[in-house]
PDB file of all heavy atoms in Angstrom:
ATOM      1  N   GLY A  34      22.378   2.121  -8.487  1.00  0.00           N
ATOM      2  CA  GLY A  34      21.950   3.357  -7.855  1.00  0.00           C
ATOM      3  C   GLY A  34      20.464   3.392  -7.550  1.00  0.00           C
ATOM      4  O   GLY A  34      20.005   4.160  -6.735  1.00  0.00           O
ATOM      5  N   THR A  35      19.678   2.549  -8.231  1.00  0.00           N
ATOM      6  CA  THR A  35      18.240   2.531  -7.991  1.00  0.00           C
ATOM      7  C   THR A  35      17.906   1.415  -7.014  1.00  0.00           C
ATOM      8  O   THR A  35      18.343   0.281  -7.195  1.00  0.00           O
ATOM      9  CB  THR A  35      17.467   2.306  -9.304  1.00  0.00           C
ATOM     10  OG1 THR A  35      17.872   1.059  -9.874  1.00  0.00           O
ATOM     11  CG2 THR A  35      17.713   3.430 -10.287  1.00  0.00           C
ATOM     12  N   PRO A  36      17.158   1.732  -5.972  1.00  0.00           N
ATOM     13  CA  PRO A  36      16.817   0.687  -5.010  1.00  0.00           C
ATOM     14  C   PRO A  36      15.831  -0.294  -5.623  1.00  0.00           C
ATOM     15  O   PRO A  36      14.890   0.088  -6.304  1.00  0.00           O
ATOM     16  CB  PRO A  36      16.161   1.467  -3.861  1.00  0.00           C
ATOM     17  CG  PRO A  36      15.683   2.726  -4.479  1.00  0.00           C
ATOM     18  CD  PRO A  36      16.604   3.016  -5.628  1.00  0.00           C
ATOM     19  N   SER A  37      16.088  -1.569  -5.417  1.00  0.00           N
ATOM     20  CA  SER A  37      15.171  -2.578  -5.929  1.00  0.00           C
ATOM     21  C   SER A  37      14.868  -3.568  -4.820  1.00  0.00           C
ATOM     22  O   SER A  37      15.715  -3.871  -3.991  1.00  0.00           O
ATOM     23  CB  SER A  37      15.784  -3.292  -7.127  1.00  0.00           C
ATOM     24  OG  SER A  37      16.955  -3.965  -6.746  1.00  0.00           O
ATOM     25  N   LYS A  38      13.628  -4.048  -4.830  1.00  0.00           N
ATOM     26  CA  LYS A  38      13.207  -5.013  -3.832  1.00  0.00           C
ATOM     27  C   LYS A  38      13.254  -6.401  -4.443  1.00  0.00           C
ATOM     28  O   LYS A  38      12.992  -6.563  -5.632  1.00  0.00           O
ATOM     29  CB  LYS A  38      11.775  -4.722  -3.388  1.00  0.00           C
ATOM     30  CG  LYS A  38      11.596  -3.441  -2.636  1.00  0.00           C
ATOM     31  CD  LYS A  38      10.140  -3.313  -2.227  1.00  0.00           C
ATOM     32  CE  LYS A  38       9.887  -2.038  -1.482  1.00  0.00           C
ATOM     33  NZ  LYS A  38       8.471  -1.903  -1.107  1.00  0.00           N
ATOM     34  N   PRO A  39      13.541  -7.386  -3.649  1.00  0.00           N
ATOM     35  CA  PRO A  39      13.454  -8.747  -4.161  1.00  0.00           C
ATOM     36  C   PRO A  39      12.018  -9.065  -4.565  1.00  0.00           C
ATOM     37  O   PRO A  39      11.072  -8.497  -4.026  1.00  0.00           O
ATOM     38  CB  PRO A  39      13.882  -9.619  -2.982  1.00  0.00           C
ATOM     39  CG  PRO A  39      14.452  -8.704  -1.966  1.00  0.00           C
ATOM     40  CD  PRO A  39      13.992  -7.319  -2.289  1.00  0.00           C
ATOM     41  N   PHE A  40      11.857  -9.980  -5.514  1.00  0.00           N
ATOM     42  CA  PHE A  40      10.539 -10.325  -6.015  1.00  0.00           C
ATOM     43  C   PHE A  40       9.613 -10.766  -4.891  1.00  0.00           C
ATOM     44  O   PHE A  40       8.445 -10.387  -4.857  1.00  0.00           O
ATOM     45  CB  PHE A  40      10.638 -11.424  -7.070  1.00  0.00           C
ATOM     46  CG  PHE A  40       9.305 -11.865  -7.588  1.00  0.00           C
ATOM     47  CD1 PHE A  40       8.584 -11.048  -8.441  1.00  0.00           C
ATOM     48  CD2 PHE A  40       8.757 -13.069  -7.206  1.00  0.00           C
ATOM     49  CE1 PHE A  40       7.345 -11.430  -8.910  1.00  0.00           C
ATOM     50  CE2 PHE A  40       7.518 -13.469  -7.669  1.00  0.00           C
ATOM     51  CZ  PHE A  40       6.814 -12.647  -8.531  1.00  0.00           C
ATOM     52  N   ALA A  41      10.111 -11.560  -3.960  1.00  0.00           N
ATOM     53  CA  ALA A  41       9.292 -12.045  -2.844  1.00  0.00           C
ATOM     54  C   ALA A  41       8.747 -10.884  -2.019  1.00  0.00           C
ATOM     55  O   ALA A  41       7.601 -10.909  -1.573  1.00  0.00           O
ATOM     56  CB  ALA A  41      10.095 -12.991  -1.962  1.00  0.00           C
ATOM     57  N   GLN A  42       9.548  -9.844  -1.837  1.00  0.00           N
ATOM     58  CA  GLN A  42       9.113  -8.678  -1.063  1.00  0.00           C
ATOM     59  C   GLN A  42       8.032  -7.908  -1.822  1.00  0.00           C
ATOM     60  O   GLN A  42       7.050  -7.476  -1.229  1.00  0.00           O
ATOM     61  CB  GLN A  42      10.301  -7.756  -0.767  1.00  0.00           C
ATOM     62  CG  GLN A  42       9.955  -6.547   0.057  1.00  0.00           C
ATOM     63  CD  GLN A  42       9.517  -6.905   1.468  1.00  0.00           C
ATOM     64  OE1 GLN A  42      10.070  -7.799   2.079  1.00  0.00           O
ATOM     65  NE2 GLN A  42       8.522  -6.203   1.976  1.00  0.00           N
ATOM     66  N   VAL A  43       8.190  -7.753  -3.116  1.00  0.00           N
ATOM     67  CA  VAL A  43       7.181  -7.061  -3.924  1.00  0.00           C
ATOM     68  C   VAL A  43       5.877  -7.839  -3.893  1.00  0.00           C
ATOM     69  O   VAL A  43       4.793  -7.272  -3.724  1.00  0.00           O
ATOM     70  CB  VAL A  43       7.671  -6.889  -5.383  1.00  0.00           C
ATOM     71  CG1 VAL A  43       6.565  -6.361  -6.283  1.00  0.00           C
ATOM     72  CG2 VAL A  43       8.871  -5.961  -5.434  1.00  0.00           C
ATOM     73  N   LEU A  44       5.961  -9.171  -4.014  1.00  0.00           N
ATOM     74  CA  LEU A  44       4.773 -10.007  -3.968  1.00  0.00           C
ATOM     75  C   LEU A  44       4.079  -9.889  -2.627  1.00  0.00           C
ATOM     76  O   LEU A  44       2.861  -9.719  -2.550  1.00  0.00           O
ATOM     77  CB  LEU A  44       5.153 -11.465  -4.247  1.00  0.00           C
ATOM     78  CG  LEU A  44       4.009 -12.463  -4.303  1.00  0.00           C
ATOM     79  CD1 LEU A  44       3.067 -12.123  -5.448  1.00  0.00           C
ATOM     80  CD2 LEU A  44       4.545 -13.866  -4.456  1.00  0.00           C
ATOM     81  N   GLU A  45       4.852  -9.939  -1.550  1.00  0.00           N
ATOM     82  CA  GLU A  45       4.270  -9.848  -0.207  1.00  0.00           C
ATOM     83  C   GLU A  45       3.630  -8.489   0.026  1.00  0.00           C
ATOM     84  O   GLU A  45       2.587  -8.387   0.668  1.00  0.00           O
ATOM     85  CB  GLU A  45       5.345 -10.101   0.853  1.00  0.00           C
ATOM     86  CG  GLU A  45       4.797 -10.138   2.257  1.00  0.00           C
ATOM     87  CD  GLU A  45       5.858 -10.449   3.294  1.00  0.00           C
ATOM     88  OE1 GLU A  45       6.630 -11.387   3.081  1.00  0.00           O
ATOM     89  OE2 GLU A  45       5.893  -9.733   4.304  1.00  0.00           O
ATOM     90  N   ASP A  46       4.217  -7.429  -0.516  1.00  0.00           N
ATOM     91  CA  ASP A  46       3.668  -6.085  -0.344  1.00  0.00           C
ATOM     92  C   ASP A  46       2.309  -5.945  -1.022  1.00  0.00           C
ATOM     93  O   ASP A  46       1.496  -5.121  -0.635  1.00  0.00           O
ATOM     94  CB  ASP A  46       4.630  -5.032  -0.917  1.00  0.00           C
ATOM     95  CG  ASP A  46       5.866  -4.867  -0.054  1.00  0.00           C
ATOM     96  OD1 ASP A  46       5.880  -5.382   1.085  1.00  0.00           O
ATOM     97  OD2 ASP A  46       6.825  -4.236  -0.531  1.00  0.00           O
ATOM     98  N   ASN A  47       2.064  -6.727  -2.064  1.00  0.00           N
ATOM     99  CA  ASN A  47       0.812  -6.615  -2.796  1.00  0.00           C
ATOM    100  C   ASN A  47      -0.262  -7.581  -2.320  1.00  0.00           C
ATOM    101  O   ASN A  47      -1.378  -7.550  -2.813  1.00  0.00           O
ATOM    102  CB  ASN A  47       1.060  -6.817  -4.290  1.00  0.00           C
ATOM    103  CG  ASN A  47       1.831  -5.661  -4.872  1.00  0.00           C
ATOM    104  OD1 ASN A  47       1.575  -4.517  -4.519  1.00  0.00           O
ATOM    105  ND2 ASN A  47       2.772  -5.938  -5.732  1.00  0.00           N
ATOM    106  N   LEU A  48       0.070  -8.463  -1.393  1.00  0.00           N
ATOM    107  CA  LEU A  48      -0.905  -9.415  -0.886  1.00  0.00           C
ATOM    108  C   LEU A  48      -1.636  -8.840   0.319  1.00  0.00           C
ATOM    109  O   LEU A  48      -1.142  -7.964   1.007  1.00  0.00           O
ATOM    110  CB  LEU A  48      -0.217 -10.720  -0.475  1.00  0.00           C
ATOM    111  CG  LEU A  48       0.390 -11.541  -1.598  1.00  0.00           C
ATOM    112  CD1 LEU A  48       1.085 -12.771  -1.031  1.00  0.00           C
ATOM    113  CD2 LEU A  48      -0.672 -11.961  -2.588  1.00  0.00           C
ATOM    114  N   LEU A  49      -2.802  -9.376   0.569  1.00  0.00           N
ATOM    115  CA  LEU A  49      -3.599  -9.007   1.727  1.00  0.00           C
ATOM    116  C   LEU A  49      -3.269  -9.964   2.859  1.00  0.00           C
ATOM    117  O   LEU A  49      -3.281 -11.177   2.669  1.00  0.00           O
ATOM    118  CB  LEU A  49      -5.078  -9.078   1.362  1.00  0.00           C
ATOM    119  CG  LEU A  49      -6.068  -8.646   2.424  1.00  0.00           C
ATOM    120  CD1 LEU A  49      -5.879  -7.174   2.746  1.00  0.00           C
ATOM    121  CD2 LEU A  49      -7.476  -8.898   1.944  1.00  0.00           C
ATOM    122  N   LYS A  50      -2.946  -9.433   4.026  1.00  0.00           N
ATOM    123  CA  LYS A  50      -2.591 -10.268   5.167  1.00  0.00           C
ATOM    124  C   LYS A  50      -3.685 -10.182   6.223  1.00  0.00           C
ATOM    125  O   LYS A  50      -4.413  -9.206   6.289  1.00  0.00           O
ATOM    126  CB  LYS A  50      -1.253  -9.805   5.761  1.00  0.00           C
ATOM    127  CG  LYS A  50      -0.079  -9.941   4.808  1.00  0.00           C
ATOM    128  CD  LYS A  50       1.156  -9.299   5.373  1.00  0.00           C
ATOM    129  CE  LYS A  50       1.362  -8.055   4.604  1.00  0.00           C
ATOM    130  NZ  LYS A  50       2.376  -7.226   4.640  1.00  0.00           N
ATOM    131  N   LEU A  51      -3.776 -11.200   7.040  1.00  0.00           N
ATOM    132  CA  LEU A  51      -4.708 -11.228   8.162  1.00  0.00           C
ATOM    133  C   LEU A  51      -3.914 -11.215   9.453  1.00  0.00           C
ATOM    134  O   LEU A  51      -2.982 -12.002   9.616  1.00  0.00           O
ATOM    135  CB  LEU A  51      -5.567 -12.498   8.124  1.00  0.00           C
ATOM    136  CG  LEU A  51      -6.497 -12.682   6.940  1.00  0.00           C
ATOM    137  CD1 LEU A  51      -7.152 -14.056   7.003  1.00  0.00           C
ATOM    138  CD2 LEU A  51      -7.554 -11.612   6.922  1.00  0.00           C
ATOM    139  N   SER A  52      -4.284 -10.338  10.370  1.00  0.00           N
ATOM    140  CA  SER A  52      -3.656 -10.366  11.690  1.00  0.00           C
ATOM    141  C   SER A  52      -4.176 -11.590  12.433  1.00  0.00           C
ATOM    142  O   SER A  52      -5.182 -12.199  12.040  1.00  0.00           O
ATOM    143  CB  SER A  52      -3.998  -9.088  12.469  1.00  0.00           C
ATOM    144  OG  SER A  52      -5.378  -9.092  12.811  1.00  0.00           O
ATOM    145  N   ASN A  53      -3.502 -11.964  13.508  1.00  0.00           N
ATOM    146  CA  ASN A  53      -3.964 -13.096  14.315  1.00  0.00           C
ATOM    147  C   ASN A  53      -5.376 -12.834  14.833  1.00  0.00           C
ATOM    148  O   ASN A  53      -6.219 -13.729  14.853  1.00  0.00           O
ATOM    149  CB  ASN A  53      -3.014 -13.360  15.483  1.00  0.00           C
ATOM    150  CG  ASN A  53      -1.697 -13.932  15.015  1.00  0.00           C
ATOM    151  OD1 ASN A  53      -1.634 -14.569  13.967  1.00  0.00           O
ATOM    152  ND2 ASN A  53      -0.647 -13.702  15.773  1.00  0.00           N
ATOM    153  N   HIS A  54      -5.618 -11.608  15.272  1.00  0.00           N
ATOM    154  CA  HIS A  54      -6.937 -11.232  15.793  1.00  0.00           C
ATOM    155  C   HIS A  54      -8.008 -11.410  14.716  1.00  0.00           C
ATOM    156  O   HIS A  54      -9.077 -11.972  14.966  1.00  0.00           O
ATOM    157  CB  HIS A  54      -6.907  -9.784  16.290  1.00  0.00           C
ATOM    158  CG  HIS A  54      -8.229  -9.286  16.768  1.00  0.00           C
ATOM    159  ND1 HIS A  54      -8.760  -9.633  17.979  1.00  0.00           N
ATOM    160  CD2 HIS A  54      -9.142  -8.467  16.174  1.00  0.00           C
ATOM    161  CE1 HIS A  54      -9.936  -9.049  18.125  1.00  0.00           C
ATOM    162  NE2 HIS A  54     -10.191  -8.334  17.038  1.00  0.00           N
TER     163      HIS A  54
END
Side-chain angles (χ1 to χ4, degrees):
T35 59
S37 62
K38 293 182 181 179
F40 178 73
Q42 181 66 39
V43 172
L44 183 63
E45 185 177 313
D46 288 348
N47 291 320
L48 293 178
L49 184 64
K50 297 172 253 187
L51 297 174
S52 69
N53 289 334
H54 177 77

